[in-house]
Amino acid sequence: MPTSVPMPELGESVTEGTVTQWLKQVGDTVETDEPLLEVATDKVDTEIPSPTSGVLTRILVSEDETVEVGAEIAVIGGEDEAAGGEESASPAKDAQPEPEPQPEPQTAGAPTSAPEEQAAPAASAPEPEPTPAPSAETSTDREETAPPVDVGTVSGANQADGTDAVTETYVTPLVRKLAAEENVDLSTVRGTGVGGRIRKQDVQEAARKQRERSTAPAAAPASPAASTPAQQRPATAADTSMRGRTEQMSKLRQSIAEQMADSLRISAEITQVVEVDVTNIARLLERAGDQFEAREGAELGFFPFFALATVEALKTHPKLNAVIDSSSYEVTYHSVEHLGISVDTEGGLLIPVVKDAGDLNLGGVARKVSDLTQRAHTGALNPEELSGGTFTLTDTGSVGGLLETPIITQPQVGILSTGAVVKRPVVVDDPELGEVIAVRSMVYLSLTHDHRLIDSADAGRFLQAVRERLEEGAFDADLGLA
């Protein structure tokens, strides 16, 4: 019995998806959960698995076509339906009869085929149905799938030296267009999609690296004073290509704009800031950072400590880990801590979620944060990893910011921003000397909360819990120092 394949749910607030790549063709056999196609949304690109085993008999949505969630995009039949499926492969074939053999339109200077040559295909042995050449009658028909494109042919590579370093690879029209706009040679791009397919994120990353190389200053001798803090990402070269240009905002940028504006309309947002002395954590990083990375397989900076302290504080201050139903003013306090972490990607801000963060130790948090961050930059996150957060942590310090007033991610009621860790003179109490001035590692924590549920005193108590945990610096057991 035929099985309909719908455009699946693709995350919170996502109502439509764009088919970017069919990984199977009409007539191909597919297995349950085998990747069937790639879909792009305003948040993420993802592979859609087949809901059943059988033969792909119909493709109803062309590549680069956008449809709503729930719309039928393909049909999968049983193994015995393969032959029938080939006859009704797509709306384009159903919509018009098979074209009769006729001479191809001639272009200026093209040789004219002899009549017997034109009739030869009809008299040949049975072959798969040929695809008619594009013409005025067929050019507007919906494409069933993108034909395989030799990347070497597209880019002009491999023609002079005869090498076969680049093999026949599917490249969507969207990717080809983006590569042309960014002046990226597809033969030099390493694909991260299924079977090494080149995705738009691969082209964007290649374009970013090209811009960095073209604007990078001449190399200068390195010096200890010029080293970059472990938690602060070096600033990239300025991109001036947008000067004087007018363009449509990307879907991701539009989504961010709508969500941020909606958040300010929905919540009564107020921000409270505290200053935290993280000198003890800085010393732990100096003592055990390399050892931790070798053992856990993840680089250790300040952020995992911030994340762990935040999750622990959420357990004892459930008001910050809640959701408000604005229509009924009903409050639900979550029993789990799903921590959203903001990641600045080439396309815009993404917030992958560390699920069940309350069950993780420092090593588990560091590994999960590292994994989600890396895959956010390569476009390898799935929709489930971008939804379901109960509280968000954003790292303003990664770009050198001291503090900010972050906007709540709806429907959450709080978001915590961590600033850059900087060394500066601070007045501290010495047990023997009393008040003295010492150089300490300091950071600002900014908590934006929904005043409809959380009063300033509630926010203050939450921040005090986070600050006490960080200033105590009792993470020796997590670092293998106990």
Side-chain angles (χ1 to χ4, degrees), residues 182 211 238-245 247:
E182 297 287 356
R211 288 194 295 270
D239 180 6
T240 60
S241 63
M242 292 180 287
R243 287 173 56 86
R245 190 170 76 193
E247 64 181 6

Side-chain angles (χ1 to χ4, degrees), residues 190-266:
R190 181 181 179 86
T192 60
V194 174
R197 291 179 176 87
I198 299 174
R199 303 155 64 97
K200 67 177 183 180
Q201 291 87 352
D202 302 323
V203 176
Q204 290 171 338
E205 178 66 12
R208 182 186 66 80
K209 291 180 178 178
Q210 283 185 177
R211 288 194 295 270
E212 289 181 355
R213 286 195 297 267
S214 64
T215 57
S223 65
S227 61
T228 303
Q231 192 66 17
Q232 183 174 337
R233 186 177 58 186
T236 58
D239 180 6
T240 60
S241 63
M242 292 180 287
R243 287 173 56 86
R245 190 170 76 193
T246 300
E247 64 181 6
Q248 186 74 20
M249 294 173 70
S250 67
K251 288 187 176 181
L252 176 57
R253 194 72 257 165
Q254 292 178 43
S255 176
I256 293 172
E258 292 173 0
Q259 292 176 26
M260 295 299 97
D262 283 344
S263 183
L264 292 175
R265 286 193 292 265
I266 293 170

Side-chain angles (χ1 to χ4, degrees), residues 3 60 86 148 172 246 248 312 317 321 351 365 368 378 385 413 422 443:
T3 299
L60 304 177
E86 301 250 356
T172 66
T246 300
Q248 186 74 20
E312 292 176 355
H317 297 80
N321 197 40
I351 305 180
V365 170
K368 195 65 178 177
T378 60
E385 292 173 316
V413 295
V422 296
V443 65

Side-chain angles (χ1 to χ4, degrees), residues 49-73:
S50 173
T52 186
S53 298
V55 174
L56 181 60
T57 58
R58 291 174 64 85
I59 290 177
L60 304 177
V61 177
S62 304
E63 291 181 352
D64 296 330
E65 185 175 349
T66 301
V67 296
E68 294 184 354
V69 169
E72 187 178 36
I73 58 176

Side-chain angles (χ1 to χ4, degrees), residues 432-445:
E432 298 180 358
L433 303 176
E435 292 184 345
V436 297
I437 297 177
V439 176
R440 310 290 290 181
S441 295
M442 307 297 294
V443 65
Y444 290 111
L445 303 183

Side-chain angles (χ1 to χ4, degrees), residues 4 8 17 21-23 115 139 151 170 201 210 215 260 425:
S4 174
Q21 176 73 54
W22 281 101
L23 305 179
S139 61
V151 178
Y170 284 106
Q201 291 87 352
Q210 283 185 177
T215 57
M260 295 299 97

